[in-house]
Every structure is written in structure tokens, then in C-alpha cells.
Amino acid sequence: MAHLGGQVGWNDVTVIGKKGPKTGTHLKSQSEIVAAQKKGLAVETEKKYEAGGNKQHGGPSNATKLDRETEELKHKTLDLQVGKVIQQARTAKGMTQVELARTINEKQQIINEYEQAKAIPNQQILGKLERVLGVKLRGKDIGQPFGPKK
């Protein structure tokens, strides 16, 4: 054996380090744990709380709920009455769809969709149409003359 602080002879063996895992290291594989137990080292195992429970990559919890969903979701389109009012006001002013579109800086297709009540209502476009056509398109009194608020 090694002598601390004394003379070391030919028959003495100095152990600098021992093979095997250092204390406080974590053994990952089953073979490393078995090897450490065979060497007579103390092996302590811990079970981590909710280990491997990564919720981000689990199966979608709402998948069956979504499959059972029967409600059809659609965008709210413009009321047919509003489309008729736009068309009547435009023809009363003697404008074509192209001229009206150019006046409010939109495409002719937008005017066509609004007149057919196929468009998703955009408050900005409705405001432009109200000002150019002089007719209310929003609120209770649709079709009434549009004027500044009093």
C-alpha cells in the first residue's frame, strides 16, 4: 500500500485513481449500471417526476373533439340588402362598377362582390362607398341619404 508522507518502497503500490464512474456521475445506459454494480460500487437510482412527459409532442388532446365537431364555420358575408343599395345608388349616380372602383381606389372585382353580397365586409371600403355614393350602408338606416353627423 501507499504511505502518505513516508518513503515508498519497491513493493508498495500507489493508486492514483480507480476505474469506474466518479461519485456524483450519472450512468445513462443499463450496461453502465450493471458494470458499476459488478465492481461493487454503490448505485443509486432515481425516478424523475413526470419524466418523458413532454406535453408539446404528445398526441393532440383535442383531436377527437375536433373530429366530432359538426358546426360549419363560415365568414360573415355582406347582407343582400346592402348589395342592392350599392347597386341602386351607383346606377342613380350614372357610374359603372369600374368608375366606382377607380373613385374609391379599389378593384372592380371588389365592387362586384359587394353588389352580389359575396364579400366579407370591410369597414374601410364600406366607408369609402358611403362617402362616394352618398348612401348609408351600415347601421339601422341602410339606404338613407348619407350626411355628416350632427
Side-chain angles (χ1 to χ4, degrees):
M1 272 295 174
H3 300 287
L4 299 176
Q7 296 266 335
V8 178
W10 285 102
N11 294 332
D12 294 328
V13 176
T14 304
V15 178
I16 297 175
K18 60 180 180 179
K19 292 184 179 180
K22 296 179 184 175
T23 55
T25 60
H26 300 285
L27 303 175
K28 304 274 181 186
S29 69
Q30 187 67 28
S31 61
E32 289 177 345
I33 294 171
V34 171
Q37 286 174 337
K38 282 184 181 177
K39 288 183 182 176
L41 300 173
V43 177
E44 181 180 328
T45 58
E46 294 178 14
K47 181 163 178 134
K48 293 184 179 179
Y49 177 72
E50 289 193 26
N54 191 349
K55 301 295 181 197
Q56 293 175 351
H57 299 294
S61 60
N62 294 337
T64 55
K65 186 177 177 183
L66 288 172
D67 287 340
R68 282 185 261 131
E69 185 66 42
T70 57
E71 182 182 353
E72 296 232 3
L73 302 174
K74 293 182 181 178
H75 286 290
K76 195 172 189 177
T77 56
L78 208 57
D79 190 23
L80 190 58
Q81 178 191 1
V82 176
K84 297 280 185 199
V85 169
I86 293 171
Q87 190 174 14
Q88 289 169 356
R90 177 181 57 80
T91 53
K93 290 232 176 197
M95 299 175 85
T96 64
Q97 286 184 350
V98 175
E99 290 169 345
L100 179 59
R102 195 173 297 130
T103 307
I104 66 166
N105 293 324
E106 295 292 339
K107 293 180 180 177
Q108 182 266 332
Q109 180 183 355
I110 301 279
I111 303 300
N112 189 15
E113 288 176 357
Y114 270 76
E115 287 184 1
Q116 293 178 2
K118 291 181 179 178
I120 299 168
N122 182 336
Q123 297 303 315
Q124 239 178 348
I125 295 174
L126 285 171
K128 290 179 192 178
L129 288 170
E130 282 178 338
R131 276 182 261 130
V132 170
L133 297 174
V135 176
K136 281 200 167 243
L137 301 173
R138 302 176 281 187
K140 293 181 254 176
D141 44 356
I142 293 173
Q144 297 298 317
F146 179 73
K149 291 184 179 178
K150 295 178 183 176

